[in-house]
Amino acid sequence: MGLIRFLLALSVLLEHAGPANGFVMVGGELAVQAFYVISGFYMAMILQDRYAGRLRQFYRNRFLRLFPMYWTILGITIGLSALLWLSSGGTRAGLLGAWLTHGGDLGVGPLLLLGFSIPFLFLQDAVLFMAAQVGTGALLPVADFRAAALPLHPFLPIAPSWSLSLELCFYLLCPWIARLRIGWIAGLAALSLGLKGWLALKGLDFDPWSYRFFPTSLGYFLVGMLAWNLGRRFKLDLPKPVPVLAWGLVLGLLVFWRIGPEPRSLGFVAVLAISLPSLFRLTKDWTWDRWIGDLSFPLYLSHWLVLAIALRAPVSLRIALAILVAIALQLTVGRWVERRRTR
């Protein structure tokens, strides 16, 4: 399913870079929700097969999967921003611009939250729900960061990394969730998505509540876990054209889903979840597909920096540069990680 994951990362890139010739694909929010589903599917699979009884190895590999790449990109971001600050005489600081202009306005609470979450990822999702109080700098919860005078999220050097905080929370829970029966997993998924619907009825149907709030985002991870469990229990001997058609359907929906009226995200998520077992069996031995999929993580994390550096370049060039940087990161950091991960 590597090509699917790459196209989801590309959808996030297009959301931030701007549409290329009007081409937007599924958009950033729906792409992230689809990533949650795929993550849940993979975690259920490896916990029941590869890491059964090997919880320490599971967490070690999860650490290696996320942190070396994140820390590398974070270091590059800080380094380039510092060079820009020095070369501009202290008037510009790249992706650290919020620290340059408003860092002195932050009190102890915001500084502690950011000082912990930036290097260690945990609680970066909470940053989206926090602001600093003007005048005192105190930590202040907010329902809508756009309405806050001094929101905290611009202080995150790598903006997309907030979703890794949700991933980490899920990793902490999934070994125990994976032990539950299918009915319990389905019930928890229904509760999570039901909470999302209830919050929407109460008017909290906007970003960050729509896809950055862990209690409601957990449902998408659980849908992926449910897809793995159902696929394992009811293995269907499908004719070979059926998985191929499912693969083509998901790719087609992924690329063209945003054409026409605004869709409901649950429709795409449902099609993806139902297709995942057959998609995995179809693509698990495709070496080229895995190679492309491995680019999705560095592309997702590094594109924010590339877009900031190539701010005035045409959209198509910015996209090409982001993909080239992702390839370079995968060939260096990604390969280093793969050599150290245990099977």
Side-chain angles (χ1 to χ4, degrees), residues 146-158:
R146 284 166 294 268
L150 189 55
L152 292 190
H153 72 89
F155 293 90
L156 295 176
I158 305 174

Side-chain angles (χ1 to χ4, degrees), residues 42-250:
Y42 273 119
M43 292 308 104
M45 176 184 67
I46 63 177
L47 281 167
Q48 294 180 23
D49 291 341
R50 184 184 306 171
Y51 295 110
R54 301 169 60 210
L55 198 56
R56 180 179 296 181
Q57 286 83 357
F58 169 76
Y59 282 122
R60 179 181 182 275
N61 282 359
R62 291 305 92 200
F63 172 86
L64 287 171
R65 177 73 176 87
L66 298 183
F67 281 94
M69 185 68 74
Y70 170 71
W71 282 337
T72 298
I73 297 170
L74 178 63
I76 294 171
T77 299
I78 293 174
L80 290 179
S81 297
L83 286 174
L84 180 61
W85 180 76
L86 291 172
S87 63
S88 66
T91 59
R92 297 174 60 197
L95 293 180
L96 300 180
W99 290 97
L100 176 66
T101 55
H102 295 293
D105 300 325
L106 301 180
V108 175
L111 287 174
L112 286 175
L113 175 59
L114 292 166
F116 173 79
S117 65
I118 289 174
F120 300 114
L121 289 173
F122 284 103
L123 298 180
Q124 284 201 20
D125 55 315
V127 170
L128 275 296
F129 297 87
M130 295 292 175
Q133 191 173 46
V134 176
T136 67
L139 193 63
L140 183 70
V142 291
D144 185 354
F145 56 75
R146 284 166 294 268
L150 189 55
L152 292 190
H153 72 89
F155 293 90
L156 295 176
I158 305 174
S161 60
W162 63 266
S163 65
L164 303 186
S165 178
L166 269 67
E167 283 276 350
L168 288 169
C169 292
F170 173 62
Y171 293 161
L172 292 177
L173 294 175
C174 66
W176 287 268
I177 297 175
R179 300 172 185 174
L180 299 176
R181 296 182 177 181
I182 290 177
W184 280 102
I185 298 175
L188 289 173
L191 281 174
S192 175
L193 297 176
L195 175 61
K196 180 177 181 177
W198 181 80
L199 289 175
L201 291 175
K202 294 297 182 179
L204 298 176
D205 57 349
F206 52 86
D207 185 13
W209 298 93
S210 56
Y211 71 120
R212 310 196 208 215
F213 186 49
F214 181 72
T216 55
S217 297
L218 179 62
Y220 292 96
F221 291 104
L222 296 177
V223 166
M225 297 187 77
L226 195 61
W228 164 256
N229 281 279
L230 290 174
R232 189 180 195 184
R233 173 172 291 188
F234 304 105
K235 281 188 177 180
L236 300 178
D237 189 17
L238 299 173
K240 191 171 183 179
V242 174
V244 175
L245 289 173
W247 183 66
L249 173 64
V250 171

